Amino acid sequence: MHDRPNFVIFVADQLRADAVGAFGNPHVRTPNIDALAARGTRFTNAYAQNPICAPSRASLMTGCYPHTFGHRTQTYLIKPWEPNLLGTLKAAGYHVTWAGMRGDLFAPGATETSVDEHGFSEFPTVLPNHGKDPEQWPGGDLWARLYYRGEIPDDGRVDLDEATTRTAEQWLAAPPETPWVLFVPVLAPHPPFEVAEPWFSMYDRETMPLPVEADPDSPEPAYMAEVRARHGLDRATPELWQEVKATYYGMISRLDDHLGRVMEHIDPDDTVTVFLSDHGEYLGDFGLVEKFPTAMHSCITRDPLIIAGGGLPQGGVSDSMVELVDVMPTLLELAGVAPAQRHFGRSLLPHLHDLDSEHRPYAFTEAGFSVEEGDQVEQGGFPYDLRITLAQEQPVMVGKAIAVRDQEWTYVWRRYEQPELYHRATDPDERHNVAGLAEHAETQRRLHEAVFTWLVDTADVIPIERDPRLPHVDLPAPVRDARSTL
């Protein structure tokens, strides 16, 4: 035994907060996630700092916003010299193990400097198939554009998430004596929407709630209509959306089972478990599916964050504004470890012990590119081709955007488009854009000012390490050519 807690960090991919039972969904079955929430604290207003995978994960690990160090794309990842949560804990004496291979996190060399062990003790026998060949979609083009494949055979093959879970189970059977971190990133419930039995038939399609409809009278970002039109999403019937949702829920229940298997092997008294996702999923809301590089809706950005175990308070529900950058300083404080660099996260530990306190007044999410950064936009083939082509042909569709939220309002500033303002207290799905209305002018002004102040405050970080102003230079001095004349 040791006096510092162990940590399990379990990261789902593309899991909506409202698709978890503990976060109010009456349809989905997530008994293990719900049990974790019951013995810890769930955060109802936690938000990711970016709507796509890699930038969100980078902010989680560094405690800094994507713009601070340029981690705004899928291909600019954390470098070996950049401090991060796993590397800081490793340097402080923690044994850090990464189960599996799901990443979108570290650039070449950074995993080796941040982690002691990485990969599988039992390898997958089948790798993720994102369906780059149109023939791999049994329902043709419409199913492909919905990222839906449906039931897949339970033929005994071990996929990425099953291999990751088995690796975590086997590792936990004999963990090290020193304090340890087990990082468990899984792929579910990221599309394609597909799952084997018994998960596929777990949900009655007819009872699935229909998606949130877009308000035809409300101004919306231009990408929404373009994505619907290019993908032909108006072809999707209500019944097909219910089919997609039931399959997505089946994937979530399988994910929940994987979490439960990992939890069976830990001592909750000396292990803190963090459960979260990198971002959410449209799932038919607003007539859209998957995500988009500048999507700011709460179905994409609100996160099912749970922190439990290690003697922390149980059964807590926090409605305060929280950001994923807050996870890093929280775990470092629990470990008694000083951060290796300045950051913008705020430890949740004081708030966990006093849920009536305000943690943050605002939560921010950022995304997108300038038109000059068109070559930095995500690349990829079918079935992502239409979305990527749209971004390349019309870069303003993925123009920079920033969302700021307080307890009541959401304001979205867009570089090349009109702003958005939603009153979440009466419009929780953010359907009715009231930006520009006179009665809300003061609220819009206040939140716009909050965005500007945030950008100034988080524009950069002065490293902790100091350089001498006049360092010794180990180079020969210039030698005057004696043959030259003046």
Side-chain angles (χ1 to χ4, degrees):
M1 294 294 293
H2 42 78
D3 58 1
R4 295 194 287 178
N6 304 314
F7 297 109
V8 172
I9 305 172
F10 196 105
V11 184
D13 191 337
Q14 212 146 318
L15 173 63
R16 292 170 56 131
D18 65 0
V20 176
F23 287 84
N25 189 306
H27 304 280
V28 72
R29 302 174 197 173
T30 50
N32 295 297
I33 303 174
D34 300 349
L36 184 68
R39 63 177 182 84
T41 300
R42 59 182 169 90
F43 298 88
T44 64
N45 274 317
Y47 286 88
Q49 274 53 80
N50 196 281
I52 58 176
C53 304
S56 176
R57 292 167 187 259
S59 61
L60 167 72
M61 282 291 162
T62 62
C64 289
Y65 297 104
H67 71 265
T68 305
F69 293 114
H71 294 297
R72 300 191 293 110
T73 74
Q74 297 280 49
T75 53
Y76 184 74
L77 307 180
I78 298 173
K79 304 301 183 185
W81 57 85
E82 290 184 275
N84 65 81
L85 173 60
L86 299 183
T88 301
L89 288 172
K90 178 183 176 183
Y94 271 79
H95 184 96
V96 181
T97 296
W98 180 323
M101 59 173 282
R102 181 71 174 102
D104 290 3
L105 184 55
F106 288 142
T111 305
E112 290 82 350
T113 61
S114 303
V115 174
D116 294 293
E117 298 173 290
H118 172 272
F120 299 99
S121 58
E122 181 171 343
F123 284 86
T125 59
V126 58
L127 293 177
N129 177 6
H130 293 296
K132 294 183 179 181
D133 181 353
E135 298 298 323
Q136 295 175 334
W137 300 89
D141 181 72
L142 177 56
W143 278 24
R145 299 312 177 184
L146 293 175
Y147 305 94
Y148 176 80
R149 276 207 290 257
E151 183 180 4
I152 56 176
D154 181 12
D155 54 8
R157 293 186 297 175
V158 178
D159 69 1
L160 194 71
D161 287 359
E162 176 63 23
T164 298
T165 302
R166 293 183 186 183
T167 296
E169 289 179 301
Q170 293 166 16
W171 188 88
L172 286 167
E177 293 295 326
T178 58
W180 50 260
V181 181
L182 178 62
F183 183 56
V184 189
V186 295
L187 187 61
H190 190 288
F193 301 110
E194 62 179 11
V195 71
E197 294 290 6
W199 320 108
F200 180 74
S201 298
M202 182 170 284
Y203 295 97
D204 182 355
R205 274 58 179 162
E206 294 182 357
T207 66
M208 292 292 98
L210 293 175
V212 172
E213 293 185 3
D215 181 352
D217 299 320
S218 180
E220 64 179 17
Y223 76 83
M224 297 175 69
E226 283 286 342
V227 169
R228 293 186 202 107
R230 293 195 180 206
H231 291 73
L233 297 180
D234 60 340
R235 296 174 292 170
T237 63
E239 293 76 17
L240 186 49
W241 284 126
Q242 289 176 308
E243 177 67 33
V244 170
K245 183 167 290 188
T247 304
Y248 180 71
Y249 284 3
M251 296 168 72
I252 294 170
S253 290
R254 183 176 186 252
L255 159 74
D256 179 84
D257 183 72
H258 285 153
L259 173 69
R261 286 164 52 186
V262 173
M263 291 296 98
E264 287 179 358
H265 295 272
I266 70 164
D267 181 350
D269 293 330
D270 64 16
T271 303
V272 173
T273 297
V274 179
F275 177 87
L276 52 82
S277 181
D278 53 3
H279 55 77
E281 157 68 46
Y282 268 121
L283 201 63
D285 285 356
F286 307 98
L288 299 170
V289 70
E290 229 262 342
K291 55 185 179 290
F292 195 76
T294 54
M296 291 292 169
H297 293 101
S298 59
C299 60
I300 298 292
T301 58
R302 193 164 77 93
D303 200 90
L305 175 64
I306 298 170
I307 301 178
L312 293 173
Q314 300 187 29
V317 180
S318 168
D319 296 323
S320 188
M321 307 310 295
V322 170
E323 298 179 327
L324 292 192
V325 293
D326 298 331
V327 171
M328 185 200 77
T330 302
L331 300 194
L332 292 183
E333 184 174 1
L334 285 167
V337 176
Q341 71 175 22
R342 185 178 167 225
H343 58 83
F344 301 109
R346 300 182 184 181
S347 173
L348 288 159
L349 198 54
H351 183 63
L352 285 168
H353 292 283
D354 180 13
L355 294 180
D356 292 330
S357 64
E358 180 186 74
H359 177 64
R360 286 180 178 272
Y362 301 115
F364 294 89
T365 305
E366 62 175 301
F369 309 88
S370 68
V371 293
E372 293 80 14
E373 295 174 321
D375 59 345
Q376 299 293 100
V377 177
E378 177 185 2
Q379 304 295 310
F382 187 91
Y384 294 90
D385 53 332
L386 296 181
R387 188 180 78 187
I388 291 168
T389 301
L390 170 61
Q392 294 170 340
E393 293 177 352
Q394 302 186 46
V396 295
M397 297 286 181
V398 289
K400 285 188 176 183
I402 299 170
V404 56
R405 289 175 168 89
D406 63 12
Q407 291 284 349
E408 190 174 359
W409 292 91
T410 299
Y411 172 70
V412 183
W413 175 89
R414 293 187 182 273
R415 174 67 178 86
Y416 306 113
E417 299 185 61
Q418 294 301 306
E420 301 156 52
L421 183 67
Y422 305 101
H423 186 224
R424 293 201 319 283
T426 57
D427 179 24
D429 296 315
E430 300 171 335
R431 297 178 63 237
H432 310 293
N433 180 7
V434 297
L437 298 183
E439 59 264 40
H440 304 306
E442 176 55 28
T443 296
Q444 186 169 336
R445 184 207 62 77
R446 173 177 63 84
L447 294 174
H448 185 85
E449 180 70 19
V451 169
F452 177 80
T453 302
W454 173 76
L455 282 173
V456 172
D457 288 346
T458 63
D460 57 12
V461 166
I462 299 174
I464 294 175
E465 182 180 352
R466 296 171 181 257
D467 295 320
R469 292 188 63 191
L470 297 172
H472 170 72
V473 178
D474 189 16
L475 289 173
V479 177
R480 179 169 178 258
D481 188 343
R483 292 171 297 176
S484 65
T485 59
L486 297 178

